[in-house]
Amino acid sequence: MKKLLYSLIIMIAAICACQDENSKLGQSLVSSSFYNVYVDTCTVDISTILMDSIETRGDSICQLGHYKDASWGEVSAAYYAEYSKNSFTPNEDYSYSFDSLVLRMTPSGNFWGDTLTQQRISVYRLKQAIYLDDNEDLYNSTILPTESMPLFSFTFTPSPGRKKELEIRLPDELGKELLNDLVTEEDYFDSQDKFKEKFPGLALIAENNGECITGFMVNDSSMAITLHYKEIASQRTEKELTFSVNTDYAYTSIRHDRTSTPLATLESGIENLIHSGSLGRRAYMQGLTGFYNQIEFPYLNNLQDAGEIVSIESATLYLYPLAGSYNKLNQLPKDIRLYITDENNVLEDYVYGSDGVTVQTGNLTVDDMFGRDTYYSFDVTEFIRNNFGTWGIKRQKLLLSLPENEMTMTFNQIIFTNDPDQERQCRLDIRFKIYNEKGNITTGFPLCCAASVQQASLS
């Protein structure tokens, strides 16, 4: 992956199996037989991991705002941007008059929080030009120095879904200075290096009393500064000159305070993961703050004890969002991804669909009426088959994450519920075939839950 190197693994705490009397139909007539067992209530232990940082340089969406949430903590999003030089060749026979200097911003449709409240953003001039670190990147954790006083501040009310362009008028003094320097052909317009030394860029920073974070497009017109002026000869002609964001030197910066939240003690790094049992039977995933999940199946091989031959027929992973954790303020992402890693958490591949080509995206099912049967599901048959009977370094793992573009450019989020005492929880459903049952397969599995056979038949 271009921007992210992280690991995701899922833990399934129990493999349980039960069967009904019909599953032994015909065993009195033959000494050995195949029959099918469907395990449908195996519990999942899913962990939460925090990434150290996320590369946000060059993203096509930036985030601005402030929001405080009991589950996630207090989050502020700011945008730092260098601007590309532009110029025109003035005509000595003409005169020029300033009209306005405007910052144009087009919402992306992404938001987190109360969109009915006004947001106040202050625009600061950077003290120095933006330069890349030793890794040639800029991250969500990067903070650069700004002038002590803002150039100006503005308020806006988010309008998710409408993507209505905002036009923010910058100070006239800045615009008049810019136009005068263009007309006199100052040499800092000769190259980008000279231009950014004269005008290092801007930082758009939200005030800490806001209740929403909003995404904005970053392209040739959005987040761009446009100089409107008039060219005066025998008649007046309206002109404009646009300074677009130089996306090679622009990024979203995140400040995140998790004090007094369930995630307060979580430290970055896969070695510091916290299992759901230590997080109130919950697991957390969120873009830009860097939360993702780790999953593995430690008791998978216990199914081998069910018969002389055990064959995996199908396996489906179900992941349930916590009821009440998603609403108009916190919308569920439509897509999530499973990735396969080796024993060292090195990314190997996606989890594909049955055609072996299509990347699975979680198959989100939404219960609009009651909210109880909202879940994501993945067909993990091939993964379970490939790892059934393996141990140690031969055992692969799974990564669970938002898609890369959502992880780096949005605050899309999910809180998964994993309470074994509740009816709807993260679980693995497995259908397997047994040849010559070794014993009662309803016992002998650790942490066995109350599963049932939904279908059993001779083959």
Side-chain angles (χ1 to χ4, degrees):
M1 297 176 62
K2 173 186 172 186
K3 295 186 178 179
L4 304 176
L5 184 58
Y6 49 81
S7 309
L8 314 160
I9 315 168
I10 304 177
M11 276 191 92
I12 297 214
I15 298 274
C16 344
C18 301
Q19 67 179 99
D20 61 14
E21 293 300 321
N22 294 330
S23 65
K24 296 188 178 182
L25 179 63
Q27 285 192 353
S28 60
L29 303 178
V30 291
S31 59
S32 65
S33 64
F34 282 101
Y35 56 93
N36 296 328
V37 180
Y38 186 29
V39 183
D40 67 350
T41 55
C42 294
T43 59
V44 175
D45 182 12
I46 178 173
S47 304
T48 301
I49 306 169
L50 175 62
M51 296 176 62
D52 178 64
S53 60
I54 297 175
E55 180 193 338
T56 57
R57 179 174 70 97
D59 287 336
S60 60
I61 295 176
C62 70
Q63 298 287 336
L64 291 174
H66 169 272
Y67 188 60
K68 188 173 184 179
D69 180 89
S71 296
W72 299 99
E74 186 173 9
V75 179
S76 294
Y79 189 58
Y80 293 76
E82 175 184 303
Y83 285 84
S84 299
K85 76 175 187 72
N86 202 350
S87 62
F88 66 89
T89 302
N91 190 316
E92 295 181 355
D93 297 328
Y94 298 167
S95 61
Y96 299 87
S97 66
F98 170 76
D99 183 81
S100 63
L101 188 66
V102 175
L103 173 65
R104 287 194 170 95
M105 304 167 59
T106 304
S108 65
N110 306 107
F111 67 92
W112 179 28
D114 186 357
T115 59
L116 298 179
T117 60
Q118 280 197 330
Q119 301 296 293
R120 185 167 179 83
I121 306 295
S122 293
V123 180
Y124 293 81
R125 192 168 182 149
L126 295 180
K127 277 189 173 182
Q128 61 189 43
I130 300 175
Y131 292 98
L132 305 184
D133 68 1
D134 293 338
N135 295 320
E136 297 294 306
D137 267 321
L138 295 165
Y139 302 91
N140 62 342
S141 56
T142 305
I143 298 177
L144 298 176
T146 67
E147 299 290 345
S148 58
M149 296 298 293
L151 283 171
F152 67 101
S153 299
F154 66 93
T155 60
F156 72 96
T157 301
S159 55
R162 294 198 297 269
K163 296 187 178 181
K164 182 180 179 181
E165 183 182 76
L166 302 178
E167 286 195 0
I168 311 301
R169 183 157 181 160
L170 278 67
D172 286 352
E173 294 76 11
L174 179 61
K176 290 176 181 178
E177 178 186 358
L178 188 58
L179 178 61
N180 181 71
D181 290 347
L182 284 163
V183 172
T184 58
E185 298 183 281
E186 296 297 322
D187 63 1
Y188 70 85
F189 293 103
D190 293 343
S191 70
Q192 183 65 24
D193 286 341
K194 289 181 180 180
F195 182 73
K196 69 181 182 182
E197 290 301 325
K198 173 70 175 180
F199 182 61
L202 299 177
L204 285 75
I205 300 174
E207 296 190 357
N208 288 335
N209 58 355
E211 298 181 23
C212 186
I213 298 177
T214 305
F216 291 92
M217 305 295 295
V218 180
N219 52 42
D220 290 343
S221 58
S222 181
M223 302 305 295
I225 296 173
T226 300
L227 173 66
H228 294 272
Y229 64 98
K230 292 182 176 64
E231 185 180 73
I232 305 171
S234 58
Q235 60 183 13
R236 293 173 180 263
T237 304
E238 293 185 355
K239 297 281 188 176
E240 64 179 44
L241 190 68
T242 297
F243 299 85
S244 299
V245 172
N246 181 4
T247 54
D248 288 337
Y249 295 89
Y251 69 101
T252 297
S253 176
I254 305 299
R255 290 179 295 168
H256 190 189
D257 183 359
R258 305 190 306 276
T259 304
S260 301
T261 73
L263 299 165
T265 61
L266 182 61
E267 297 181 6
S268 62
I270 193 170
E271 68 279 4
N272 297 314
L273 65 85
I274 299 181
H275 296 288
S276 61
S278 299
L279 283 176
R281 301 294 183 180
R282 299 173 184 178
Y284 296 77
M285 175 191 293
Q286 187 180 45
L288 274 174
T289 54
F291 292 98
Y292 62 100
N293 307 112
Q294 172 174 323
I295 302 174
E296 62 182 332
F297 303 86
Y299 300 111
L300 178 62
N301 288 343
N302 286 24
L303 286 178
Q304 292 177 313
D305 296 333
E308 293 183 11
I309 299 176
V310 178
S311 173
I312 303 297
E313 299 298 300
S314 65
T316 304
L317 177 65
Y318 293 92
L319 303 169
Y320 282 82
L322 178 68
S325 65
Y326 54 94
N327 48 41
K328 292 182 179 180
L329 303 185
N330 308 312
Q331 296 176 317
L332 288 175
K334 294 181 180 179
D335 296 347
I336 56 177
R337 302 292 170 87
L338 273 179
Y339 306 89
I340 300 172
T341 70
D342 64 13
E343 75 282 0
N344 295 317
N345 302 315
V346 176
L347 190 66
E348 293 185 334
D349 211 342
Y350 292 99
V351 172
Y352 294 98
S354 57
D355 61 3
V357 176
T358 305
V359 175
Q360 295 190 58
T361 59
N363 190 31
L364 175 61
T365 299
V366 178
D367 180 359
D368 289 322
M369 183 170 293
F370 301 107
R372 301 176 64 221
D373 287 313
T374 294
Y375 60 85
Y376 297 88
S377 63
F378 289 92
D379 181 349
V380 291
T381 303
E382 286 303 311
F383 177 84
I384 296 299
R385 283 175 179 167
N386 292 339
N387 287 274
F388 185 52
T390 63
W391 299 91
I393 62 173
K394 295 183 179 180
R395 176 69 66 88
Q396 294 174 311
K397 302 176 184 179
L398 290 174
L399 314 179
L400 180 65
S401 170
L402 292 169
E404 181 180 329
N405 62 333
E406 293 190 28
M407 196 71 176
T408 62
M409 293 188 286
T410 78
F411 286 98
N412 289 349
Q413 60 193 250
I414 311 170
I415 300 177
F416 295 109
T417 182
N418 193 35
D419 187 346
D421 295 328
Q422 300 299 317
E423 181 180 358
R424 288 159 181 81
Q425 58 171 317
C426 299
R427 74 176 194 271
L428 179 69
D429 288 6
I430 301 180
R431 186 186 298 275
F432 57 100
K433 185 175 291 185
I434 299 174
Y435 175 76
N436 276 359
E437 177 189 358
K438 288 182 178 180
N440 186 352
I441 63 173
T442 65
T443 61
F445 297 101
L447 302 177
C448 189
C449 54
S452 64
V453 176
Q454 294 189 351
Q455 179 180 358
S457 63
L458 248 172
S459 298

